[in-house]
Amino acid sequence: MNRLALTLYSAAFSIMLLLTPALRAETGAEAWLRYARLDGNASRTYQNFPAKAVVLGDSALLRSAREELFCGISGMLTKSLHIEPNLPPDAAVVLGAFPSVQKIIPGLHPPADLGEDAFWLTNARVHGVRHLIITAQNDRGVLYGVFSLLSKIAQHQPVFGLNELQQPYARVRWIDQWDNLDGTIERGYAGRSIFFENGAVRADLGRAADYARLLASVGINGCAINNVNADPRLLRDDFLPQLARVAKIFRLWGVQLAISVDLASPKTGAGLDTFDPADPRVAAWWRNKVEQIYAAIPDFGGLVIKADSEDRLGPSFYGRTQADAANVLARPLQSRGGIVFYRAFVYNHHLDWRDAKNDRAKAAYDYFHPLDGKFENNVIIQIKHGPIDFQTREPVSPLFSGLEHTNQAIELQITQEYTGQQRHLCFLIPMWKEVLDFDLRANDKHSPVMDAVAGTTFHRPAGGFVGVANLGLDDNWLAHPLAMANLYGFARLAWNPNLSVSNIAQEWTTLTFGSDPQVVKTISSMLLSSWHTYESYTGPLGAQTLTDILGSHYGPGIESSEENGWGQWHRADHNGIGMDRTVASGTGFVGQYWPQAAQMYESLATTPDELLLFFHHVPYTYLLHNGKTVLQHIYDSHYEGAQATADYVRQWQTLRSRIDDQRYAAVLTRLEYQAGHAIVWRDAICNWFLRTSGIPDALGRVGRHPSRFEAEDMQLTDYSPVEVIPWENASAGQAIECRSSQPCTATFKPNLAAGRYRIDTQYFDLNDGEAKFRLYVLNQSGSRLVDEWTANDHLPSAKIGGDTSTRHCTFAVLLAPQDEVRIEGIPDRSDHAALDYVEISSVLDPTGMRRTRSHAANAPRTRFSKKANPRIGCSHSSNQ
Ligand code: GCW
C-alpha cells in the first residue's frame, strides 16, 4: 500500500469507527436474556404484536411467566402490554394451562398430547380476531412457552401463525453445582458460590434467583446446589430452613431443589455408630431426615450421592452393594416423588499401575451392571459420559447399554475442568452431540445414547440429563464470556438432543451478541471448531488430556498420570503410546460394549483415529487412517491447534465495534491468553515426545526456535537460573527468577535488521503475588520503555510451570541492529517475576496500524467486580 492509499485507508477507518454508534457496555450478566431493543426493520415485523395479555391463573409460575413476557416485550419491542381479565375484542397474548385456555376458546385442540413441561405456541381466531396462545399441560410448560416465544422474537423469527408443540426429550433436565458451604466451588472457575458463604446459605440470594430464571429459560427443571463431596452439615436441623429459602426462590421458576448428601451422615455427628445401609437404625434415620426435608420443602427434588469414590465412604465399608445404599435413601423419597441420583463414578484410585490388566475405565460397568434391576424405581444412576472422567476425548461409557432394568441419566461437565477451565475457548456441544448420537447397538438394535438416557431404549419410567455447571458470582457467571454457550447448549440438548450443533451455536450467539450476520458467523464458527482445536494442542488420538492430573487439571503434565494408582494412564514409552483395552490382548474393557460396538473398537483397523490411543497401544510409527504416523500426527496437530488459537484472536478482532467494548475486550484478553498458553502446551508435548521417542519432526519445527532468546542465556543482573520441573514445561527446561528484593534485569542483543518487531515475553504468573515486568529497548541514546505489565492473573498454581507460563505480546516495537532488549522484573511476595524466554518476530503488517501495545497487558482482567452483583432482567417485584 503506498503512503497516500494508507492515509486514505486510515482516515476511512477512523470515520467508520466514529460513525458506528457506541454499543451499550454489557457485563454478560444477562446472558441470553438480554431482550435488546430490536432495530427498525426487525421491530416492524412485530408491529402487529398484540398490545394486550390475558393470563389464566395466578400461580407463582404464571406470575413469573407474565412478568417475563412483559419484560421481554417491553425490552425488544418497546411496548407495554396491558393485562386483561377476559379475552378482549382485539388481539391478545393468552397464557395459561390448557384446560383454562380451552374454557375460553372451546374449539382449540393440540396436535398431539401435551406431556409434562411440553408447551404449545399457537394462534386462534375468536370472533374474527386472531390471538396468540401460549399453553401447556402445566404452568411450568406455560413459562417455557413464554421463554420460547421471546427467544424467537430476539432471533427475529416469525411468531404470527405459529403452531408449534415442543415436548422435552426427557423428564430429568438437571444441573449440579459443586458448591461448598464455605463459599468455594470445587472445579469452579468464576468466583465464589451464589448459594453459600461462611458455612451458611448466603443472606443475599439475588444471584441465585437470577440463576433460576436463566435455567428455566432453557427448560432446566432441577438443580442440586452443593458439592457431591458433600458436607454432612447440610443435613443438620438448623440448615433445613436455609435450604428452604433457596427452594422458595427456585420454585418461582419451576426449578426443583436437590442436594448432595454424604452416605456416612447418619454416623458423622448424628448420633449413630454406623451408616450401614442394611442396619434398620440407619434406614430409620434416613426416613426421619427425608420427612424433615419435605416438611420444610414440599416440592423437594431429591438427593445426589457420591459413594465409594475418591475417599468418600460408601456401602463397601460394610460389604454392601451400591444398590443397598441407593435404595435405603430412595424408599422414603418414593411416596413424595423424590429421586435418588446415584453416581456411577465409583472406582478405586489405588490401582496397581504395574498390572497391565488393571483398568479404571472398567469400574462403572463392573460395579453397576451386575446390580441392574436391583434399584428402586426412583433411583437414577448418573453416569459420566465417558468411562474415565470428563476427558477431552473418551468413548461413551458402556454402562449406558449395561443397564436395561434401571433408570439412568447422563452426566456432562459444563464447567471446563479438563478443557481449559474457562480460560481456553472450548465449546463442548459438538462433543456431547457425538456422545448422544453414538449408537450403542444394544440388543443389536439402533440405540443411541440419547434414547438410553431418556428411558426410551429400555422403557424406563425416568431418566435424562445432568450438567455440572459450577457458575459463580462473577458478573458473567462463567468467567469466559463465551463459556455460557456451554450451559445454553447443554440445556438445549437436554430439551432436544436432535437439535443441530450449528443451530445451537447460532442461536446462542444471536441471543448473546445480537443478530449482526458477521458477528453470528464469526462467533459460531469459532465455537464450532474450538473443541477440536483444544483437543489438537492438548493431546489428540484419545490419549486423553496429557494434563497435570495430580494437581490443577489445567496445564501440561505428561507424566503425572503414570506410575500411580489414579488409572489415567497413557502408557507412553520409548517405543509407543496408548492403553491396550482389547479383549484379545488388553484389559478387556472393550468387552463391556455390545458386540457391534465392541467389534469396532477391538480391531485396530476399525477404531477411529481419534480414539486409537484410548483402545490400543501402538508404536509411534503406526500409520493412521489419514496416512500419517502417530508421532507426526501428534506434532502436526499441536502446531495446527496452536495456530488455530492465534487465528481466533484475528477473527475476534474483526468484530471490534460490532460488539460492545466491554465484552469485546474481555473475550480478546482471554483469546490472547489462550493463544499463548496453546504454545506452552504445544511445546511441552512435542518436546516430550521428541525426547522420549527420539524421532524428529519431519517438518523440523519441534525443538527448533530460531527466533527465541532463552532467559537463562541473557545477561542477568540479580536474576538467577532455575530448573523447571517437569522440564518440558519451560523452554529448554530452565527459567530465571528474581529472588532479590530489588528489581532484576535480563538483557540481550537480538542483532536484527532495522524494523518493527513483535516481542513475545514468556513469563510465569504465580498466584501468590503480582510481579511487574518492564520491557526496554536500549541504545546509545539511552533506554526506552516500550511496554509494562503486571502478572496479576489468577492462574491455578503458585509454582513455575505449565499452569503459570503466560505470554505477553508487545506489537510493533521499532528495533535497530545495535539495540539491546531488557526485561526488568519486579517481584512481589512469592511471585519472583520468573521469565522463560523472549521470542521476536518481524511484524508482517507494515502499516503498524495494529495495536502498539498488547491489550492483554492493559485491559482489566475479566474477573468482574464482585461488590455490587448486578441484578438482571426486569424488576420481578413479586418474585423477590
Ligand atoms: O473429575 C473429578 C474431579 C473432582 C470431582 C470428581 C467427581 C467433585 O476432579 O473434583 O469431585 O471428579 O466427579 O466426583
Side-chain angles (χ1 to χ4, degrees):
M1 212 186 281
N2 65 31
R3 202 170 269 278
L4 177 64
L6 188 65
T7 316
L8 289 175
Y9 175 77
S10 24
F13 186 70
S14 321
I15 290 170
M16 200 185 81
L17 284 183
L18 281 176
L19 291 181
T20 314
L23 295 163
R24 179 175 66 92
E26 293 188 45
T27 60
E30 290 162 313
W32 51 84
L33 297 177
R34 293 161 64 243
Y35 299 141
R37 188 175 168 172
L38 299 193
D39 65 18
N41 274 342
S43 76
R44 267 191 291 284
T45 321
Y46 302 100
Q47 65 193 2
N48 294 330
F49 193 87
K52 297 182 174 164
V54 181
V55 184
L56 302 169
D58 190 35
S59 68
L61 280 172
L62 283 181
R63 281 200 299 277
S64 298
R66 182 190 68 199
E67 292 192 24
E68 196 65 35
L69 183 71
F70 282 32
C71 170
I73 296 302
S74 78
M76 292 187 286
L77 306 181
T78 57
K79 196 171 212 166
S80 317
L81 291 175
H82 289 278
I83 195 96
E84 297 284 331
N86 299 306
L87 209 55
D90 43 355
V93 187
V94 180
L95 305 187
F98 188 65
S100 48
V101 173
Q102 213 183 23
K103 242 186 230 158
I104 60 165
I105 312 176
L108 206 62
H109 292 290
D113 274 355
L114 283 168
E116 184 182 287
D117 293 347
F119 59 85
W120 183 29
L121 304 179
T122 188
N123 58 92
R125 243 174 223 292
V126 179
H127 305 307
V129 177
R130 196 196 280 233
H131 303 284
L132 209 161
I133 317 287
I134 304 174
T135 189
Q137 184 224 62
N138 55 0
D139 289 350
R140 184 159 66 191
V142 177
L143 176 66
Y144 293 167
V146 166
F147 276 117
S148 173
L149 181 85
L150 294 172
S151 165
K152 284 178 193 299
I153 297 176
Q155 295 175 71
H156 307 182
Q157 291 169 3
V159 297
F160 302 112
L162 269 179
N163 183 12
E164 183 176 307
L165 190 148
Q166 284 201 32
Q167 200 91 250
Y169 210 74
R171 280 183 60 192
V172 169
R173 305 176 302 278
W174 282 52
I175 288 292
D176 280 3
Q177 286 271 143
W178 288 350
D179 297 28
N180 298 311
L181 301 199
D182 65 1
T184 57
I185 304 180
E186 179 150 349
R187 313 296 175 191
Y189 310 105
R192 297 179 68 78
S193 169
I194 61 175
F195 299 111
F196 305 108
E197 193 58 75
N198 280 328
V201 167
R202 296 177 70 86
D204 176 2
L205 285 174
R207 291 280 277 176
D210 293 342
Y211 189 30
R213 171 173 169 254
L214 273 181
L215 295 181
S217 74
V218 279
I220 298 293
N221 56 3
C223 178
I225 59 172
N226 64 306
N227 194 349
V228 288
N229 294 327
D231 188 326
R233 282 180 298 167
L234 209 77
L235 285 176
R236 275 190 346 211
D237 297 354
D238 64 342
F239 216 93
L240 293 181
Q242 302 185 46
L243 293 176
R245 285 181 50 227
V246 181
K248 187 172 170 202
I249 279 170
F250 277 10
R251 193 169 296 130
L252 301 172
W253 298 100
V255 177
Q256 278 187 286
L257 176 79
I259 54 171
S260 297
V261 293
D262 182 350
L263 212 62
S265 299
K267 188 174 172 196
T268 333
L272 295 190
D273 58 3
T274 177
F275 65 93
D276 180 355
D279 189 313
R281 290 171 302 153
V282 170
W285 190 90
W286 282 113
R287 237 184 351 260
N288 183 35
K289 195 44 78 184
V290 166
E291 268 163 34
Q292 276 181 300
I293 296 177
Y294 276 95
I297 307 166
D299 55 354
F300 182 68
L303 303 171
V304 182
I305 319 279
K306 170 177 179 178
D308 280 328
S309 168
E310 301 182 337
D311 295 326
R312 307 300 297 180
L313 288 167
S316 69
F317 192 77
Y318 297 100
R320 312 288 176 209
T321 69
Q322 307 301 320
D324 296 331
N327 292 342
V328 80
L329 276 84
R331 286 181 196 121
L333 286 167
Q334 216 151 31
S335 61
R336 316 299 300 253
I339 298 174
V340 166
F341 290 84
Y342 202 94
R343 298 178 84 226
F345 191 59
V346 174
Y347 74 104
N348 167 12
H349 69 273
H350 299 289
L351 284 179
D352 181 359
W353 54 271
R354 293 172 205 84
D355 183 343
K357 294 288 175 195
N358 275 344
D359 188 357
R360 169 173 160 185
K362 285 160 64 179
Y365 189 96
D366 282 350
Y367 279 107
F368 287 88
H369 174 68
L371 298 174
D372 189 18
K374 300 212 159 63
F375 293 89
E376 294 288 343
N377 256 346
N378 61 329
V379 174
I380 292 183
I381 306 299
Q382 184 167 315
I383 308 169
K384 288 192 182 190
H385 78 262
I388 299 283
D389 186 9
F390 300 137
Q391 304 299 286
T392 310
R393 173 81 70 169
E394 290 185 59
V396 309
S397 169
L399 188 57
F400 293 122
S401 51
L403 294 178
E404 296 188 47
H405 311 285
T406 305
N407 305 320
Q408 50 173 295
I410 188 168
E411 182 178 307
L412 298 168
Q413 200 185 36
I414 295 160
T415 189
Q416 294 172 231
E417 175 183 356
Y418 283 99
T419 50
Q421 304 191 352
Q422 283 119 260
R423 300 176 172 283
H424 292 235
L425 173 62
C426 192
F427 180 58
L428 295 162
I429 315 308
M431 182 215 279
W432 298 337
K433 180 73 171 141
E434 271 186 37
V435 169
L436 294 168
D437 283 345
F438 183 83
D439 190 353
L440 296 154
R441 304 301 304 164
N443 300 308
D444 292 336
K445 290 200 194 106
H446 178 64
S447 39
V449 170
M450 66 172 88
D451 288 352
V453 301
T456 45
T457 304
F458 303 118
H459 314 292
R460 298 300 312 163
F465 302 77
V466 178
V468 179
N470 296 356
L471 273 72
L473 273 178
D474 274 13
D475 287 1
N476 70 359
W477 303 100
L478 277 177
H480 195 312
L482 303 184
M484 282 294 270
N486 286 325
L487 175 63
Y488 181 85
F490 164 78
R492 297 295 287 137
L493 286 180
W495 184 266
N496 179 4
N498 286 309
L499 289 176
S500 98
V501 167
S502 61
N503 280 354
I504 294 175
Q506 282 168 19
E507 263 179 29
W508 176 80
T509 308
T510 308
L511 295 171
T512 306
F513 288 103
S515 54
D516 175 339
Q518 192 180 327
V519 171
V520 176
K521 190 165 153 238
T522 307
I523 299 182
S524 330
S525 104
M526 288 168 64
L527 290 175
L528 290 170
S529 60
S530 60
W531 166 48
H532 179 66
T533 297
Y534 186 78
E535 177 185 30
S536 63
Y537 63 82
T538 60
L541 302 176
Q544 308 177 51
T545 41
L546 303 175
T547 190
D548 174 9
I549 72 131
L550 299 178
S552 61
H553 300 182
Y554 181 59
I558 301 164
E559 288 172 42
S560 67
S561 55
E562 297 307 299
E563 305 194 0
N564 59 47
W566 287 95
Q568 288 186 244
W569 311 311
H570 49 68
R571 306 273 197 217
D573 61 15
H574 177 59
N575 299 310
I577 176 171
M579 276 281 288
D580 182 353
R581 292 188 156 108
T582 61
V583 174
S585 54
T587 68
F589 166 73
V590 169
Q592 295 185 341
Y593 291 95
W594 280 82
Q596 290 181 33
Q599 274 156 24
M600 172 173 69
Y601 293 137
E602 182 74 8
S603 143
L604 260 173
T606 51
T607 301
D609 282 351
E610 67 268 16
L611 281 171
L612 179 75
L613 305 179
F614 193 92
F615 287 107
H616 301 276
H617 184 85
V618 294
Y620 292 118
T621 49
Y622 179 79
L623 275 189
L624 297 170
H625 293 109
N626 68 13
K628 287 183 187 176
T629 65
V630 163
L631 193 62
Q632 194 57 41
H633 179 88
I634 290 176
Y635 292 149
D636 289 352
S637 80
H638 284 79
Y639 273 82
E640 284 156 16
Q643 183 56 47
T645 61
D647 291 342
Y648 290 155
V649 174
R650 280 189 278 279
Q651 289 168 43
W652 188 257
Q653 284 168 335
T654 66
L655 303 183
R656 187 165 189 186
S657 81
R658 292 178 181 270
I659 286 176
D660 60 286
D661 285 348
Q662 189 169 352
R663 289 186 299 165
Y664 174 81
V667 174
L668 183 61
T669 303
R670 296 226 164 213
L671 292 176
E672 287 177 330
Y673 166 81
Q674 180 184 3
H677 201 227
I679 293 173
V680 176
W681 268 99
R682 178 197 76 188
D683 290 352
I685 292 181
C686 290
N687 288 335
W688 190 90
F689 279 99
L690 174 63
R691 186 188 280 192
T692 306
S693 70
I695 303 173
D697 167 26
L699 300 182
R701 299 155 299 186
V702 179
R704 284 190 59 242
H705 301 284
S707 47
R708 216 172 253 193
F709 299 85
E710 294 294 341
E712 57 276 16
D713 298 338
M714 295 175 189
Q715 204 186 320
L716 306 180
T717 311
D718 294 328
Y719 260 124
S720 40
V722 53
E723 295 289 323
V724 175
I725 300 168
W727 62 270
E728 69 273 13
N729 284 343
S731 195
Q734 283 199 320
I736 57 170
E737 55 179 7
C738 178
R739 290 259 170 194
S740 116
S741 53
Q742 300 300 313
C744 302
T745 62
T747 311
F748 65 102
K749 195 169 187 181
N751 282 323
L752 295 167
R756 281 194 185 277
Y757 292 88
R758 164 180 163 153
I759 301 185
D760 294 332
T761 308
Q762 197 72 30
Y763 65 102
F764 296 90
D765 186 345
L766 312 196
N767 65 10
D768 51 2
E770 296 195 355
K772 289 193 172 48
F773 293 91
R774 294 200 180 115
L775 176 67
Y776 295 92
V777 173
L778 316 178
N779 52 32
Q780 281 157 340
S781 42
S783 77
R784 190 171 91 240
L785 176 69
V786 291
D787 202 355
E788 58 187 323
W789 65 94
T790 305
N792 58 0
D793 208 341
H794 301 266
L795 294 161
S797 173
K799 262 184 60 199
I800 296 178
D803 287 343
T804 52
S805 185
T806 306
R807 174 168 283 226
H808 179 84
C809 312
T810 310
F811 293 96
V813 180
L814 209 49
L815 288 179
Q818 295 305 315
D819 286 352
E820 288 188 317
V821 172
R822 168 170 295 167
I823 314 273
E824 182 182 64
I826 304 154
D828 176 51
R829 289 175 284 154
S830 313
D831 187 339
H832 300 295
L835 276 178
D836 190 358
Y837 63 87
V838 170
E839 190 146 27
I840 306 189
S841 45
S842 81
V843 174
L844 295 176
D845 175 2
T847 65
M849 278 178 59
R850 289 176 56 188
R851 296 166 302 146
T852 53
R853 280 275 181 94
S854 165
H855 279 191
N858 304 321
R861 292 281 167 186
T862 42
R863 293 221 152 236
F864 295 104
S865 71
K866 287 182 212 73
K867 283 194 193 102
N869 283 309
R871 296 305 314 281
I872 57 173
C874 304
S875 55
H876 295 277
S877 45
S878 59
N879 290 349
Q880 286 165 41

